[in-house]
Amino acid sequence: MEITQPASARAGAWRRAGRELTLVAVLFLAYKGARQLVAGHAAAALANGERTWQLERMLRLPDEALVQAPLLSELPAQLANSYYAYVHFPATVLCLVWLYLRRPAHYLRLRRALAALTAAALVLHVWIPLAPPRLTALTGLVDTGRVYGPSVYGPPESDQLSNQYAAMPSLHVGWAFAVALALAAVTAGRWRWLWLAHPLVTMLVVVGTGNHYWVDGAVAVALLGLILAVLPKPAALPPVAPATPPRPHVVPSPRRAGHRRTAKVQAAADVRLRPPGRG
C-alpha cells in the first residue's frame, strides 16, 4: 500500500526549499551589491593590474594572450562570452537544488563553502582592488565581450550594477570548483571526475575573455581548499546490510485419514519389531 505524505509535511518541505533558494539568491545579490563598496578605486586597481601582470611574467606563467588568441573571431568569442555570462550562476543554483533534494548533508556543506568563499572574496576586493586584464593597457588583451558580445558589463565609469575593478579572486572559478567537487563526492565511478571539466573550462573562459588573470583563479581555488578543510565533512551513509536469503519452505507430508499425530514421534531407528501376539 502506498504511503502518501500529509499535506502539512509537503507544504513544510516546499517552505524550506523556498527559504534555501531565497538564501542563495540573497547571497548572490549581497555579493553584487557589496562590490560597490570598492567602486571609485580605478587608479589603484589599474596599478595593481600592472603589478599582477608583471608578477605573472616573473613567475613565468603562460601569457593570457595565448589563451585569448583562438577566441578572437566571432563564433568562438561569442561562445566563450556566453559561457561566462550564462553558466556561472544557473549551474550553481541547479547543483544546489539537486543536492538539497537528494543529498541534504552535501548541500549544506556546499552552501556554507560558497558563503564563506564569497565573504572572503569581498574582503579581498576591498583590500586589493584589481583591474581585469581587459582594462589594463599593459596586457594588450581584448575585451571580447565589448567587441564580439554578449557582454555583462557596461563602461566601467558608468556601470552601476557591478564593480569591474574587483577581479581578485575569481568567484567564477571558485564557485565552479566548489560545484564540481560537491558533485564528484556524491557520484560513483571514475567518470565522476568529469565534473572537473566545468571549473577547467571556466578558468580558460575567464582568462580568454580578459576578465581575470591566472592568479585570480589560483587564489580562489586556494581559498576554497582552506574553507573545505575547515568545514566538517558530511556523515557517510550507513552500509547496506546484505539481504538474507529466504528459507526454503517445507511442505509437510500428507497424513492418512483417521491417523492422529502423537506429541512425540519415535525415530525409525528406535522402533523395534515385537513378536506377533504380544502386546
Side-chain angles (χ1 to χ4, degrees), residues 176-264:
F177 260 103
V179 165
L181 292 176
L183 291 175
V186 298
T187 50
R190 57 186 178 182
W191 294 104
R192 70 184 185 274
W193 299 113
L194 287 178
W195 292 116
L196 291 176
H198 173 46
L200 294 178
V201 171
T202 300
M203 185 71 177
L204 293 175
V205 163
V206 300
V207 169
T209 56
N211 284 291
H212 287 284
Y213 304 91
W214 293 116
V215 295
D216 300 339
V219 170
V221 173
L223 287 173
L224 177 64
L226 292 175
I227 292 168
L228 292 178
V230 172
L231 289 177
K233 295 182 179 180
L237 295 175
V240 180
T244 305
R247 296 182 178 180
H249 180 64
V250 180
V251 180
S253 58
R255 291 180 293 172
R256 296 180 181 179
H259 176 72
R260 295 182 179 179
R261 178 179 292 179
T262 59
K264 185 176 182 181

Side-chain angles (χ1 to χ4, degrees), residues 1-277:
M1 183 177 65
E2 185 180 357
I3 301 176
T4 58
Q5 258 189 332
S8 59
R10 290 197 300 270
W14 280 107
R15 283 195 298 270
R16 288 193 300 272
R19 285 197 300 267
E20 294 294 337
L21 188 59
T22 302
L23 178 61
V24 174
V26 168
L27 175 65
F28 181 75
L29 293 175
Y31 162 70
K32 297 291 286 186
R35 285 165 64 104
Q36 295 298 325
L37 294 174
V38 292
H41 295 79
L46 291 170
N48 288 334
E50 293 184 355
R51 294 189 189 99
T52 301
W53 178 262
Q54 293 167 349
L55 173 63
E56 287 188 340
R57 306 292 75 80
M58 289 176 56
L59 297 175
R60 299 188 181 278
L61 294 178
D63 193 334
E64 284 86 346
L66 297 176
V67 180
Q68 188 179 76
L71 303 180
L72 295 181
S73 57
E74 187 172 2
L75 181 59
Q78 289 180 350
L79 289 175
N81 292 331
S82 297
Y83 197 96
Y84 180 84
Y86 305 129
V87 174
H88 168 58
F89 188 66
T92 305
V93 170
L94 286 175
C95 175
L96 286 168
V97 170
W98 188 84
L99 290 176
Y100 177 80
L101 295 175
R102 303 296 298 271
R103 298 289 190 274
H106 288 270
Y107 160 80
L108 184 60
R109 189 168 191 251
L110 177 59
R111 191 194 72 184
R112 289 172 174 172
L114 294 178
L117 180 60
T118 303
L122 289 177
V123 172
L124 284 179
H125 291 165
V126 175
W127 185 26
I128 310 174
L130 180 64
R134 59 184 172 81
L135 297 179
T136 304
L138 184 63
T139 67
L141 293 183
V142 176
D143 186 345
T144 60
R146 182 181 59 82
V147 175
Y148 299 100
S151 177
V152 295
Y153 303 115
E157 60 277 1
S158 61
D159 190 355
Q160 300 298 319
L161 296 178
S162 59
N163 174 32
Q164 299 184 42
Y165 298 111
M168 170 68 74
S170 170
L171 281 185
H172 272 73
V173 174
W175 282 28
F177 260 103
V179 165
L181 292 176
L183 291 175
V186 298
T187 50
R190 57 186 178 182
W191 294 104
R192 70 184 185 274
W193 299 113
L194 287 178
W195 292 116
L196 291 176
H198 173 46
L200 294 178
V201 171
T202 300
M203 185 71 177
L204 293 175
V205 163
V206 300
V207 169
T209 56
N211 284 291
H212 287 284
Y213 304 91
W214 293 116
V215 295
D216 300 339
V219 170
V221 173
L223 287 173
L224 177 64
L226 292 175
I227 292 168
L228 292 178
V230 172
L231 289 177
K233 295 182 179 180
L237 295 175
V240 180
T244 305
R247 296 182 178 180
H249 180 64
V250 180
V251 180
S253 58
R255 291 180 293 172
R256 296 180 181 179
H259 176 72
R260 295 182 179 179
R261 178 179 292 179
T262 59
K264 185 176 182 181
V265 181
Q266 292 179 336
D270 293 337
V271 177
R272 298 180 180 178
L273 297 176
R274 298 179 180 179

